[in-house]
C-alpha cells in the first residue's frame, strides 16, 4: 500500500490504509505544473482522471446542471392523483417547462437511458440486449458538457446503468450504487457539490419508485391502508408485464410522496449552490399495474415525467407529444452550448421494443393518433426487409381502446413505421 506522489519538484511518500477503494488525494500547488506521477512498488494501482476542484465553464451558461432520472416514475399515475403526489417537485419546476405528453423511446431502462444519453433511437444505438454487454458508442451529453468545461459526475442506484454498458462515458467521477435509496444518492450529490465547487454537471439515478412494491420506508408503510399489504399471488409473476393492481398503486403513490420529500432537500441545496441552475427531471418508462391494456407500448407504460427549468427556459406547459431522447437538445440549448449531437426531430414520436426472442414492437404517436406496429422476432432476426409478417392497429392517442376509422392516417403512419423498421 506504499505510494509515491511526485509533482512540481515535490515527492510525497504515503502509506494508504485501505485496499480496493478510491482515495481522493488533494494535489495543491501555487504554480502550474504539467506532470503528475503516482507510483507503487508493491501494489497495483487504478488511477482515475484528475478532477479540477473549481472547474470553470467555457460558456456563459449556468454554473450548475443537475440531471435527475427517476426510474419508473409514471406520468399517468401522477396525473390520476391530480398532481398531489409530488408537491415539492411541482413547486420547484413551476417556473420551468413541463411536458404533459412526453414518451420514452424504449420499454425498459437499459435501452431508454441509452437513448436519453445519446439522443438516439434503440435501432440506432443498439443497446438493448440484457446480457451481451454492448456499450454506448455514440457521443453522449456528458462528453459534450465535459468538453465545455463542466466537471461531470454520475451518482446512480440504477442496477443497469453501469460502466459495463458504457454509462460512465463522459463522466470524470462515477458512483455506482445499485439499489441504494434516495437518501444515499441525494447525500452523495450534496457531498459532490460541497467537495468540488465550480461548474458541474451531475447525473442522479434514483431507483426508489421502481421498487415501490417492495418493502418501503417507515413513513410510506404507515401511510398505506392495512389491505394494501395483501399482496396477490400472480400466476404470471415472472412475466415482464402485469396488469392492473390497486394495492401496488396505493404503495407506489405513497413511495412517490416519500421520494418527493427527499427531492425537496435536493432542490433546496441546488438553489443554495446556484439559484439559476439548470435542472431536468424525467423518467424512462411508466408502470404496468395501472392499466388493463395489453399493449406493451401503451401510454400507461411509456408516458413519462419530463420537466426542465433554469438557463434560457421560459415557463410553459407543453401539450403536444414529445420524445425524451430530445433531452440532450433541451439541455444544450438552455445552457447556451452548441449542440454537437444533432438528434433531430421526427414527424412522429416513436417508442420501440427490441428484446431477444420477443416480437418487435413500435408505437408511433402524434397529437391525435397512435399506431401500434408489430413484427415477429423471427422476421427481425432474419433481417427481412420485404415480404415480412407484421400487424398494425390505429388507435386514439387519448383513448387507446378507440380505433378510429381514418384510412389515410393509418396508411401514413404505417408507411412511417415500416420505414423506421
Amino acid at each position: 500500500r506504499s505510494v509515491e506522489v511526485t509533482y512540481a519538484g515535490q515527492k510525497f511518500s504515503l502509506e494508504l490504509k485501505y485496499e480496493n477503494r478510491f482515495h481522493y488525494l488533494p494535489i495543491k500547488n501555487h504554480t502550474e505544473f504539467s506532470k503528475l506521477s503516482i507510483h507503487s512498488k508493491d501494489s497495483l494501482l487504478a488511477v482515475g482522471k484528475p478532477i479540477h476542484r473549481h472547474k470553470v465553464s467555457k460558456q456563459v451558461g449556468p454554473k450548475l446542471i443537475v440531471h435527475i432520472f427517476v426510474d419508473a416514475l409514471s406520468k399517468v399515475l401522477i396525473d390520476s392523483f391530480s398532481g398531489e403526489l409530488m408537491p415539492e417537485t411541482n413547486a420547484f419546476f413551476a417556473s420551468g417547462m413541463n411536458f404533459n405528453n412526453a414518451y420514452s423511446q424504449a420499454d425498459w431502462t437499459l435501452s431508454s437511458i441509452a437513448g436519453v444519453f445519446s439522443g438516439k433511437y434503440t435501432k440506432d444505438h443498439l443497446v438493448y440486449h440484457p446480457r451481451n454487454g454492448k456499450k454506448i458508442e455514440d457521443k453522449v451529453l456528458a462528453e459534450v458538457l465535459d468538453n465545455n468545461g463542466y466537471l461531470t459526475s454520475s451518482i446512480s442506484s440504477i442496477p443497469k446503468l453501469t460502466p459495463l454498458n458504457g454509462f460512465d462515458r463522459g463522466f470524470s467521477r462515477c458512483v455506482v450504487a445499485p439499489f441504494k435509496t434516495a437518501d444515499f444518492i441525494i447525500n452523495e450529490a450534496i457531498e459532490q457539490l460541497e467537495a468540488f465547487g465550480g461548474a458541474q454537471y451531475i447525473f442522479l439515478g434514483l431507483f426508489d419508485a421502481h421498487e415501490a412494491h417492495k418493502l418501503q420506508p417507515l413513513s410510506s408503510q404507515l401511510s398505506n391502508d392495512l389491505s394494501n399489504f395483501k399482496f396477490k399471488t400472480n400466476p404470471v409473476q415472472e412475466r415482464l408485464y402485469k396488469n392492473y393492481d390497486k394495492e401496488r398503486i396505493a404503495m407506489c403513490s405513497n413511495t412517490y410522496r416519500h421520494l418527493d420529500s427527499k427531492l425537496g432537500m435536493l432542490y433546496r441545496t441546488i438553489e443554495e449552490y446556484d439559484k439559476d441552475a439548470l435542472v431536468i427531471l424525467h423518467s424512462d418508462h411508466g408502470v404496468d399495474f395501472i392499466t388493463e391494456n395489453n399493449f406493451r407500448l401503451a401510454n400507461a407504460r411509456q408516458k413519462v415525467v419530463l420537466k426542465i427549468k433554469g438557463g434560457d427556459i421560459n415557463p410553459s406547459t407543453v401539450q403536444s407529444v414529445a420524445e425524451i431522447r430530445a433531452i440532450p437538445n433541451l439541455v444544450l440549448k438552455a445552457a447556451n452550448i452548441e449542440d454537437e449531437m444533432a438528434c433531430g426531430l421526427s414527424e412522429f414520436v416513436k417508442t420501440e421494443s427490441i428484446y431477444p426472442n420477443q416480437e418487435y414492437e413500435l408505437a408511433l404517436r402524434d397529437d391525435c393518433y397512435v399506431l401500434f406496429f408489430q413484427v415477429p422476432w423471427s422476421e427481425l432476426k432474419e433481417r427481412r426487409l420485404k415480404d415480412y409478417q407484421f400487424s398494425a392497429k390505429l388507435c386514439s392517442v387519448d383513448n387507446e381502446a378507440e380505433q378510429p376509422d381514418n384510412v389515410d392516417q393509418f396508411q401514413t403512419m404505417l408507411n412511417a413505421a415500416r420505414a423506421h423498421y
Side-chain angles (χ1 to χ4, degrees), residues 62 92-99 276-280 306-318 326-336:
F92 183 73
F93 285 96
S95 60
M97 184 182 294
N98 293 273
F99 292 79
D276 299 317
L278 177 60
V279 186
I280 189 161
L306 177 57
K307 299 174 179 289
I308 184 170
K309 65 167 288 186
D312 283 346
I313 295 294
N314 294 317
S316 61
T317 299
V318 181
I327 284 173
N329 305 97
L330 290 171
V331 170
L332 296 175
K333 182 179 180 181
N336 290 307

PDB file of all heavy atoms in Angstrom, residues 62 92-99 276-280 306-318 326-336:
ATOM      1  N   PRO A  62     -25.259  28.191 -17.220  1.00  0.00           N
ATOM      2  CA  PRO A  62     -25.407  28.038 -15.769  1.00  0.00           C
ATOM      3  C   PRO A  62     -24.165  27.420 -15.138  1.00  0.00           C
ATOM      4  O   PRO A  62     -23.461  26.614 -15.754  1.00  0.00           O
ATOM      5  CB  PRO A  62     -26.615  27.102 -15.645  1.00  0.00           C
ATOM      6  CG  PRO A  62     -26.675  26.378 -16.941  1.00  0.00           C
ATOM      7  CD  PRO A  62     -26.186  27.338 -17.973  1.00  0.00           C
ATOM      8  N   PHE A  92     -41.068  23.351  -7.382  1.00  0.00           N
ATOM      9  CA  PHE A  92     -39.720  23.657  -7.876  1.00  0.00           C
ATOM     10  C   PHE A  92     -39.717  23.915  -9.374  1.00  0.00           C
ATOM     11  O   PHE A  92     -39.033  24.828  -9.859  1.00  0.00           O
ATOM     12  CB  PHE A  92     -38.781  22.502  -7.531  1.00  0.00           C
ATOM     13  CG  PHE A  92     -37.352  22.734  -7.927  1.00  0.00           C
ATOM     14  CD1 PHE A  92     -36.550  23.619  -7.223  1.00  0.00           C
ATOM     15  CD2 PHE A  92     -36.792  22.048  -8.996  1.00  0.00           C
ATOM     16  CE1 PHE A  92     -35.227  23.836  -7.583  1.00  0.00           C
ATOM     17  CE2 PHE A  92     -35.470  22.252  -9.363  1.00  0.00           C
ATOM     18  CZ  PHE A  92     -34.682  23.143  -8.654  1.00  0.00           C
ATOM     19  N   PHE A  93     -40.493  23.124 -10.125  1.00  0.00           N
ATOM     20  CA  PHE A  93     -40.494  23.255 -11.586  1.00  0.00           C
ATOM     21  C   PHE A  93     -41.620  24.154 -12.102  1.00  0.00           C
ATOM     22  O   PHE A  93     -41.830  24.230 -13.317  1.00  0.00           O
ATOM     23  CB  PHE A  93     -40.593  21.877 -12.238  1.00  0.00           C
ATOM     24  CG  PHE A  93     -39.320  21.079 -12.180  1.00  0.00           C
ATOM     25  CD1 PHE A  93     -39.125  20.138 -11.179  1.00  0.00           C
ATOM     26  CD2 PHE A  93     -38.314  21.281 -13.106  1.00  0.00           C
ATOM     27  CE1 PHE A  93     -37.951  19.400 -11.106  1.00  0.00           C
ATOM     28  CE2 PHE A  93     -37.132  20.556 -13.051  1.00  0.00           C
ATOM     29  CZ  PHE A  93     -36.953  19.611 -12.051  1.00  0.00           C
ATOM     30  N   ALA A  94     -42.311  24.841 -11.206  1.00  0.00           N
ATOM     31  CA  ALA A  94     -43.402  25.718 -11.642  1.00  0.00           C
ATOM     32  C   ALA A  94     -42.906  26.817 -12.576  1.00  0.00           C
ATOM     33  O   ALA A  94     -43.656  27.299 -13.434  1.00  0.00           O
ATOM     34  CB  ALA A  94     -44.092  26.320 -10.421  1.00  0.00           C
ATOM     35  N   SER A  95     -41.651  27.220 -12.407  1.00  0.00           N
ATOM     36  CA  SER A  95     -41.084  28.280 -13.253  1.00  0.00           C
ATOM     37  C   SER A  95     -40.375  27.719 -14.479  1.00  0.00           C
ATOM     38  O   SER A  95     -39.647  28.449 -15.167  1.00  0.00           O
ATOM     39  CB  SER A  95     -40.079  29.105 -12.436  1.00  0.00           C
ATOM     40  OG  SER A  95     -39.031  28.276 -11.956  1.00  0.00           O
ATOM     41  N   GLY A  96     -40.587  26.439 -14.767  1.00  0.00           N
ATOM     42  CA  GLY A  96     -39.909  25.810 -15.891  1.00  0.00           C
ATOM     43  C   GLY A  96     -40.847  25.341 -16.980  1.00  0.00           C
ATOM     44  O   GLY A  96     -42.005  25.753 -17.068  1.00  0.00           O
ATOM     45  N   MET A  97     -40.352  24.446 -17.810  1.00  0.00           N
ATOM     46  CA  MET A  97     -41.116  23.868 -18.908  1.00  0.00           C
ATOM     47  C   MET A  97     -41.560  22.470 -18.478  1.00  0.00           C
ATOM     48  O   MET A  97     -40.734  21.631 -18.105  1.00  0.00           O
ATOM     49  CB  MET A  97     -40.257  23.797 -20.177  1.00  0.00           C
ATOM     50  CG  MET A  97     -40.987  23.303 -21.415  1.00  0.00           C
ATOM     51  SD  MET A  97     -39.893  23.186 -22.871  1.00  0.00           S
ATOM     52  CE  MET A  97     -39.515  24.920 -23.136  1.00  0.00           C
ATOM     53  N   ASN A  98     -42.863  22.238 -18.510  1.00  0.00           N
ATOM     54  CA  ASN A  98     -43.432  20.967 -18.069  1.00  0.00           C
ATOM     55  C   ASN A  98     -44.139  20.298 -19.235  1.00  0.00           C
ATOM     56  O   ASN A  98     -45.045  20.882 -19.833  1.00  0.00           O
ATOM     57  CB  ASN A  98     -44.398  21.198 -16.906  1.00  0.00           C
ATOM     58  CG  ASN A  98     -43.704  21.680 -15.650  1.00  0.00           C
ATOM     59  OD1 ASN A  98     -43.243  20.892 -14.845  1.00  0.00           O
ATOM     60  ND2 ASN A  98     -43.626  23.012 -15.476  1.00  0.00           N
ATOM     61  N   PHE A  99     -43.729  19.068 -19.543  1.00  0.00           N
ATOM     62  CA  PHE A  99     -44.278  18.326 -20.681  1.00  0.00           C
ATOM     63  C   PHE A  99     -45.376  17.384 -20.187  1.00  0.00           C
ATOM     64  O   PHE A  99     -45.134  16.521 -19.350  1.00  0.00           O
ATOM     65  CB  PHE A  99     -43.177  17.522 -21.370  1.00  0.00           C
ATOM     66  CG  PHE A  99     -42.153  18.363 -22.072  1.00  0.00           C
ATOM     67  CD1 PHE A  99     -41.132  18.989 -21.361  1.00  0.00           C
ATOM     68  CD2 PHE A  99     -42.212  18.548 -23.443  1.00  0.00           C
ATOM     69  CE1 PHE A  99     -40.178  19.758 -21.998  1.00  0.00           C
ATOM     70  CE2 PHE A  99     -41.259  19.323 -24.095  1.00  0.00           C
ATOM     71  CZ  PHE A  99     -40.238  19.936 -23.370  1.00  0.00           C
ATOM     72  N   ASP A 276     -29.669  29.977 -10.351  1.00  0.00           N
ATOM     73  CA  ASP A 276     -30.016  29.909 -11.768  1.00  0.00           C
ATOM     74  C   ASP A 276     -29.668  28.555 -12.377  1.00  0.00           C
ATOM     75  O   ASP A 276     -29.538  28.419 -13.604  1.00  0.00           O
ATOM     76  CB  ASP A 276     -29.283  31.010 -12.537  1.00  0.00           C
ATOM     77  CG  ASP A 276     -29.664  32.403 -12.052  1.00  0.00           C
ATOM     78  OD1 ASP A 276     -30.869  32.632 -11.834  1.00  0.00           O
ATOM     79  OD2 ASP A 276     -28.761  33.238 -11.873  1.00  0.00           O
ATOM     80  N   ALA A 277     -29.508  27.545 -11.545  1.00  0.00           N
ATOM     81  CA  ALA A 277     -29.122  26.216 -12.028  1.00  0.00           C
ATOM     82  C   ALA A 277     -30.106  25.685 -13.060  1.00  0.00           C
ATOM     83  O   ALA A 277     -31.313  25.949 -13.003  1.00  0.00           O
ATOM     84  CB  ALA A 277     -29.019  25.248 -10.853  1.00  0.00           C
ATOM     85  N   LEU A 278     -29.571  24.926 -14.013  1.00  0.00           N
ATOM     86  CA  LEU A 278     -30.381  24.221 -14.997  1.00  0.00           C
ATOM     87  C   LEU A 278     -30.654  22.826 -14.449  1.00  0.00           C
ATOM     88  O   LEU A 278     -29.726  22.064 -14.167  1.00  0.00           O
ATOM     89  CB  LEU A 278     -29.642  24.137 -16.332  1.00  0.00           C
ATOM     90  CG  LEU A 278     -30.309  23.365 -17.470  1.00  0.00           C
ATOM     91  CD1 LEU A 278     -31.651  23.973 -17.828  1.00  0.00           C
ATOM     92  CD2 LEU A 278     -29.398  23.326 -18.689  1.00  0.00           C
ATOM     93  N   VAL A 279     -31.935  22.497 -14.264  1.00  0.00           N
ATOM     94  CA  VAL A 279     -32.314  21.216 -13.653  1.00  0.00           C
ATOM     95  C   VAL A 279     -33.330  20.522 -14.543  1.00  0.00           C
ATOM     96  O   VAL A 279     -34.297  21.147 -14.992  1.00  0.00           O
ATOM     97  CB  VAL A 279     -32.912  21.409 -12.240  1.00  0.00           C
ATOM     98  CG1 VAL A 279     -33.145  20.050 -11.572  1.00  0.00           C
ATOM     99  CG2 VAL A 279     -32.004  22.282 -11.377  1.00  0.00           C
ATOM    100  N   ILE A 280     -33.104  19.246 -14.794  1.00  0.00           N
ATOM    101  CA  ILE A 280     -34.047  18.461 -15.592  1.00  0.00           C
ATOM    102  C   ILE A 280     -34.420  17.211 -14.806  1.00  0.00           C
ATOM    103  O   ILE A 280     -33.577  16.601 -14.144  1.00  0.00           O
ATOM    104  CB  ILE A 280     -33.456  18.108 -16.975  1.00  0.00           C
ATOM    105  CG1 ILE A 280     -34.528  17.486 -17.869  1.00  0.00           C
ATOM    106  CG2 ILE A 280     -32.227  17.217 -16.871  1.00  0.00           C
ATOM    107  CD1 ILE A 280     -34.194  17.529 -19.341  1.00  0.00           C
ATOM    108  N   LEU A 306     -41.418  14.642 -17.614  1.00  0.00           N
ATOM    109  CA  LEU A 306     -40.325  15.416 -18.202  1.00  0.00           C
ATOM    110  C   LEU A 306     -40.509  16.876 -17.815  1.00  0.00           C
ATOM    111  O   LEU A 306     -41.496  17.506 -18.178  1.00  0.00           O
ATOM    112  CB  LEU A 306     -40.303  15.268 -19.729  1.00  0.00           C
ATOM    113  CG  LEU A 306     -39.237  16.091 -20.480  1.00  0.00           C
ATOM    114  CD1 LEU A 306     -37.836  15.779 -19.972  1.00  0.00           C
ATOM    115  CD2 LEU A 306     -39.335  15.851 -21.984  1.00  0.00           C
ATOM    116  N   LYS A 307     -39.554  17.408 -17.035  1.00  0.00           N
ATOM    117  CA  LYS A 307     -39.594  18.787 -16.556  1.00  0.00           C
ATOM    118  C   LYS A 307     -38.198  19.384 -16.649  1.00  0.00           C
ATOM    119  O   LYS A 307     -37.212  18.684 -16.389  1.00  0.00           O
ATOM    120  CB  LYS A 307     -40.060  18.849 -15.090  1.00  0.00           C
ATOM    121  CG  LYS A 307     -41.463  18.296 -14.827  1.00  0.00           C
ATOM    122  CD  LYS A 307     -41.771  18.258 -13.336  1.00  0.00           C
ATOM    123  CE  LYS A 307     -43.164  17.725 -13.056  1.00  0.00           C
ATOM    124  NZ  LYS A 307     -44.217  18.694 -13.453  1.00  0.00           N
ATOM    125  N   ILE A 308     -38.104  20.666 -16.987  1.00  0.00           N
ATOM    126  CA  ILE A 308     -36.812  21.335 -17.051  1.00  0.00           C
ATOM    127  C   ILE A 308     -36.981  22.799 -16.670  1.00  0.00           C
ATOM    128  O   ILE A 308     -37.977  23.444 -17.035  1.00  0.00           O
ATOM    129  CB  ILE A 308     -36.179  21.190 -18.460  1.00  0.00           C
ATOM    130  CG1 ILE A 308     -34.780  21.820 -18.498  1.00  0.00           C
ATOM    131  CG2 ILE A 308     -37.076  21.756 -19.546  1.00  0.00           C
ATOM    132  CD1 ILE A 308     -34.008  21.498 -19.773  1.00  0.00           C
ATOM    133  N   LYS A 309     -36.033  23.330 -15.904  1.00  0.00           N
ATOM    134  CA  LYS A 309     -36.063  24.738 -15.514  1.00  0.00           C
ATOM    135  C   LYS A 309     -34.639  25.278 -15.457  1.00  0.00           C
ATOM    136  O   LYS A 309     -33.674  24.533 -15.338  1.00  0.00           O
ATOM    137  CB  LYS A 309     -36.723  24.919 -14.153  1.00  0.00           C
ATOM    138  CG  LYS A 309     -35.982  24.289 -12.987  1.00  0.00           C
ATOM    139  CD  LYS A 309     -36.499  24.754 -11.631  1.00  0.00           C
ATOM    140  CE  LYS A 309     -36.103  26.186 -11.354  1.00  0.00           C
ATOM    141  NZ  LYS A 309     -36.449  26.643  -9.986  1.00  0.00           N
ATOM    142  N   GLY A 310     -34.532  26.619 -15.544  1.00  0.00           N
ATOM    143  CA  GLY A 310     -33.235  27.270 -15.488  1.00  0.00           C
ATOM    144  C   GLY A 310     -32.714  27.600 -16.865  1.00  0.00           C
ATOM    145  O   GLY A 310     -33.345  27.325 -17.889  1.00  0.00           O
ATOM    146  N   GLY A 311     -31.526  28.204 -16.911  1.00  0.00           N
ATOM    147  CA  GLY A 311     -30.939  28.577 -18.199  1.00  0.00           C
ATOM    148  C   GLY A 311     -31.850  29.502 -18.975  1.00  0.00           C
ATOM    149  O   GLY A 311     -32.413  30.455 -18.427  1.00  0.00           O
ATOM    150  N   ASP A 312     -32.043  29.214 -20.258  1.00  0.00           N
ATOM    151  CA  ASP A 312     -32.907  30.031 -21.117  1.00  0.00           C
ATOM    152  C   ASP A 312     -34.320  29.468 -21.226  1.00  0.00           C
ATOM    153  O   ASP A 312     -35.048  29.772 -22.167  1.00  0.00           O
ATOM    154  CB  ASP A 312     -32.298  30.132 -22.523  1.00  0.00           C
ATOM    155  CG  ASP A 312     -31.133  31.110 -22.569  1.00  0.00           C
ATOM    156  OD1 ASP A 312     -30.989  31.888 -21.607  1.00  0.00           O
ATOM    157  OD2 ASP A 312     -30.365  31.075 -23.550  1.00  0.00           O
ATOM    158  N   ILE A 313     -34.730  28.653 -20.239  1.00  0.00           N
ATOM    159  CA  ILE A 313     -36.057  28.045 -20.275  1.00  0.00           C
ATOM    160  C   ILE A 313     -37.107  29.048 -19.812  1.00  0.00           C
ATOM    161  O   ILE A 313     -36.974  29.675 -18.756  1.00  0.00           O
ATOM    162  CB  ILE A 313     -36.109  26.794 -19.373  1.00  0.00           C
ATOM    163  CG1 ILE A 313     -35.178  25.705 -19.908  1.00  0.00           C
ATOM    164  CG2 ILE A 313     -37.536  26.280 -19.240  1.00  0.00           C
ATOM    165  CD1 ILE A 313     -35.575  25.139 -21.231  1.00  0.00           C
ATOM    166  N   ASN A 314     -38.165  29.199 -20.610  1.00  0.00           N
ATOM    167  CA  ASN A 314     -39.302  30.039 -20.231  1.00  0.00           C
ATOM    168  C   ASN A 314     -40.422  29.159 -19.663  1.00  0.00           C
ATOM    169  O   ASN A 314     -40.649  28.051 -20.157  1.00  0.00           O
ATOM    170  CB  ASN A 314     -39.819  30.811 -21.444  1.00  0.00           C
ATOM    171  CG  ASN A 314     -38.816  31.827 -21.954  1.00  0.00           C
ATOM    172  OD1 ASN A 314     -38.187  32.528 -21.161  1.00  0.00           O
ATOM    173  ND2 ASN A 314     -38.661  31.898 -23.265  1.00  0.00           N
ATOM    174  N   PRO A 315     -41.129  29.639 -18.640  1.00  0.00           N
ATOM    175  CA  PRO A 315     -42.222  28.848 -18.053  1.00  0.00           C
ATOM    176  C   PRO A 315     -43.279  28.516 -19.104  1.00  0.00           C
ATOM    177  O   PRO A 315     -43.738  29.397 -19.828  1.00  0.00           O
ATOM    178  CB  PRO A 315     -42.785  29.762 -16.966  1.00  0.00           C
ATOM    179  CG  PRO A 315     -41.700  30.735 -16.665  1.00  0.00           C
ATOM    180  CD  PRO A 315     -40.954  30.933 -17.949  1.00  0.00           C
ATOM    181  N   SER A 316     -43.641  27.244 -19.182  1.00  0.00           N
ATOM    182  CA  SER A 316     -44.671  26.839 -20.141  1.00  0.00           C
ATOM    183  C   SER A 316     -45.123  25.413 -19.835  1.00  0.00           C
ATOM    184  O   SER A 316     -44.423  24.653 -19.173  1.00  0.00           O
ATOM    185  CB  SER A 316     -44.152  26.907 -21.590  1.00  0.00           C
ATOM    186  OG  SER A 316     -43.055  26.029 -21.764  1.00  0.00           O
ATOM    187  N   THR A 317     -46.312  25.086 -20.324  1.00  0.00           N
ATOM    188  CA  THR A 317     -46.820  23.720 -20.267  1.00  0.00           C
ATOM    189  C   THR A 317     -46.963  23.237 -21.704  1.00  0.00           C
ATOM    190  O   THR A 317     -47.688  23.851 -22.492  1.00  0.00           O
ATOM    191  CB  THR A 317     -48.177  23.653 -19.547  1.00  0.00           C
ATOM    192  OG1 THR A 317     -48.017  24.108 -18.198  1.00  0.00           O
ATOM    193  CG2 THR A 317     -48.698  22.229 -19.526  1.00  0.00           C
ATOM    194  N   VAL A 318     -46.252  22.175 -22.038  1.00  0.00           N
ATOM    195  CA  VAL A 318     -46.234  21.664 -23.406  1.00  0.00           C
ATOM    196  C   VAL A 318     -47.229  20.513 -23.511  1.00  0.00           C
ATOM    197  O   VAL A 318     -47.078  19.484 -22.857  1.00  0.00           O
ATOM    198  CB  VAL A 318     -44.822  21.180 -23.798  1.00  0.00           C
ATOM    199  CG1 VAL A 318     -44.820  20.667 -25.240  1.00  0.00           C
ATOM    200  CG2 VAL A 318     -43.807  22.312 -23.623  1.00  0.00           C
ATOM    201  N   ALA A 326     -34.931  13.781 -26.763  1.00  0.00           N
ATOM    202  CA  ALA A 326     -34.599  15.176 -27.054  1.00  0.00           C
ATOM    203  C   ALA A 326     -33.943  15.871 -25.863  1.00  0.00           C
ATOM    204  O   ALA A 326     -33.604  17.055 -25.956  1.00  0.00           O
ATOM    205  CB  ALA A 326     -35.852  15.936 -27.460  1.00  0.00           C
ATOM    206  N   ILE A 327     -33.745  15.158 -24.756  1.00  0.00           N
ATOM    207  CA  ILE A 327     -33.173  15.785 -23.560  1.00  0.00           C
ATOM    208  C   ILE A 327     -31.810  16.433 -23.821  1.00  0.00           C
ATOM    209  O   ILE A 327     -31.571  17.558 -23.368  1.00  0.00           O
ATOM    210  CB  ILE A 327     -33.118  14.758 -22.407  1.00  0.00           C
ATOM    211  CG1 ILE A 327     -34.524  14.577 -21.822  1.00  0.00           C
ATOM    212  CG2 ILE A 327     -32.138  15.179 -21.314  1.00  0.00           C
ATOM    213  CD1 ILE A 327     -34.646  13.483 -20.789  1.00  0.00           C
ATOM    214  N   PRO A 328     -30.869  15.787 -24.541  1.00  0.00           N
ATOM    215  CA  PRO A 328     -29.608  16.487 -24.825  1.00  0.00           C
ATOM    216  C   PRO A 328     -29.813  17.822 -25.531  1.00  0.00           C
ATOM    217  O   PRO A 328     -29.148  18.813 -25.214  1.00  0.00           O
ATOM    218  CB  PRO A 328     -28.845  15.496 -25.709  1.00  0.00           C
ATOM    219  CG  PRO A 328     -29.372  14.161 -25.296  1.00  0.00           C
ATOM    220  CD  PRO A 328     -30.829  14.396 -25.023  1.00  0.00           C
ATOM    221  N   ASN A 329     -30.757  17.862 -26.491  1.00  0.00           N
ATOM    222  CA  ASN A 329     -31.043  19.112 -27.191  1.00  0.00           C
ATOM    223  C   ASN A 329     -31.567  20.171 -26.234  1.00  0.00           C
ATOM    224  O   ASN A 329     -31.147  21.335 -26.278  1.00  0.00           O
ATOM    225  CB  ASN A 329     -32.079  18.887 -28.298  1.00  0.00           C
ATOM    226  CG  ASN A 329     -31.677  17.818 -29.269  1.00  0.00           C
ATOM    227  OD1 ASN A 329     -32.099  16.682 -29.145  1.00  0.00           O
ATOM    228  ND2 ASN A 329     -30.845  18.147 -30.239  1.00  0.00           N
ATOM    229  N   LEU A 330     -32.499  19.774 -25.353  1.00  0.00           N
ATOM    230  CA  LEU A 330     -33.075  20.710 -24.388  1.00  0.00           C
ATOM    231  C   LEU A 330     -32.005  21.285 -23.472  1.00  0.00           C
ATOM    232  O   LEU A 330     -31.957  22.490 -23.223  1.00  0.00           O
ATOM    233  CB  LEU A 330     -34.148  20.003 -23.556  1.00  0.00           C
ATOM    234  CG  LEU A 330     -35.453  19.617 -24.246  1.00  0.00           C
ATOM    235  CD1 LEU A 330     -36.303  18.743 -23.329  1.00  0.00           C
ATOM    236  CD2 LEU A 330     -36.232  20.860 -24.666  1.00  0.00           C
ATOM    237  N   VAL A 331     -31.135  20.412 -22.957  1.00  0.00           N
ATOM    238  CA  VAL A 331     -30.106  20.849 -22.010  1.00  0.00           C
ATOM    239  C   VAL A 331     -29.094  21.772 -22.682  1.00  0.00           C
ATOM    240  O   VAL A 331     -28.777  22.850 -22.166  1.00  0.00           O
ATOM    241  CB  VAL A 331     -29.398  19.626 -21.382  1.00  0.00           C
ATOM    242  CG1 VAL A 331     -28.163  20.058 -20.590  1.00  0.00           C
ATOM    243  CG2 VAL A 331     -30.356  18.853 -20.489  1.00  0.00           C
ATOM    244  N   LEU A 332     -28.592  21.380 -23.831  1.00  0.00           N
ATOM    245  CA  LEU A 332     -27.562  22.184 -24.508  1.00  0.00           C
ATOM    246  C   LEU A 332     -28.113  23.532 -24.958  1.00  0.00           C
ATOM    247  O   LEU A 332     -27.433  24.559 -24.846  1.00  0.00           O
ATOM    248  CB  LEU A 332     -26.990  21.405 -25.693  1.00  0.00           C
ATOM    249  CG  LEU A 332     -26.232  20.116 -25.320  1.00  0.00           C
ATOM    250  CD1 LEU A 332     -25.815  19.355 -26.570  1.00  0.00           C
ATOM    251  CD2 LEU A 332     -25.017  20.434 -24.459  1.00  0.00           C
ATOM    252  N   LYS A 333     -29.335  23.544 -25.447  1.00  0.00           N
ATOM    253  CA  LYS A 333     -29.942  24.815 -25.859  1.00  0.00           C
ATOM    254  C   LYS A 333     -30.134  25.735 -24.661  1.00  0.00           C
ATOM    255  O   LYS A 333     -29.803  26.930 -24.716  1.00  0.00           O
ATOM    256  CB  LYS A 333     -31.277  24.559 -26.547  1.00  0.00           C
ATOM    257  CG  LYS A 333     -31.964  25.827 -27.052  1.00  0.00           C
ATOM    258  CD  LYS A 333     -33.270  25.503 -27.756  1.00  0.00           C
ATOM    259  CE  LYS A 333     -33.952  26.780 -28.245  1.00  0.00           C
ATOM    260  NZ  LYS A 333     -35.249  26.483 -28.925  1.00  0.00           N
ATOM    261  N   ALA A 334     -30.646  25.188 -23.552  1.00  0.00           N
ATOM    262  CA  ALA A 334     -30.885  26.003 -22.354  1.00  0.00           C
ATOM    263  C   ALA A 334     -29.592  26.496 -21.736  1.00  0.00           C
ATOM    264  O   ALA A 334     -29.568  27.542 -21.091  1.00  0.00           O
ATOM    265  CB  ALA A 334     -31.687  25.205 -21.328  1.00  0.00           C
ATOM    266  N   ALA A 335     -28.495  25.740 -21.937  1.00  0.00           N
ATOM    267  CA  ALA A 335     -27.204  26.122 -21.370  1.00  0.00           C
ATOM    268  C   ALA A 335     -26.365  26.963 -22.325  1.00  0.00           C
ATOM    269  O   ALA A 335     -25.207  27.273 -22.026  1.00  0.00           O
ATOM    270  CB  ALA A 335     -26.424  24.867 -20.984  1.00  0.00           C
ATOM    271  N   ASN A 336     -26.930  27.338 -23.477  1.00  0.00           N
ATOM    272  CA  ASN A 336     -26.216  28.143 -24.474  1.00  0.00           C
ATOM    273  C   ASN A 336     -24.937  27.461 -24.960  1.00  0.00           C
ATOM    274  O   ASN A 336     -23.898  28.091 -25.138  1.00  0.00           O
ATOM    275  CB  ASN A 336     -25.865  29.530 -23.908  1.00  0.00           C
ATOM    276  CG  ASN A 336     -27.074  30.399 -23.728  1.00  0.00           C
ATOM    277  OD1 ASN A 336     -27.850  30.586 -24.659  1.00  0.00           O
ATOM    278  ND2 ASN A 336     -27.258  30.920 -22.523  1.00  0.00           N
TER     279      ASN A 336
END
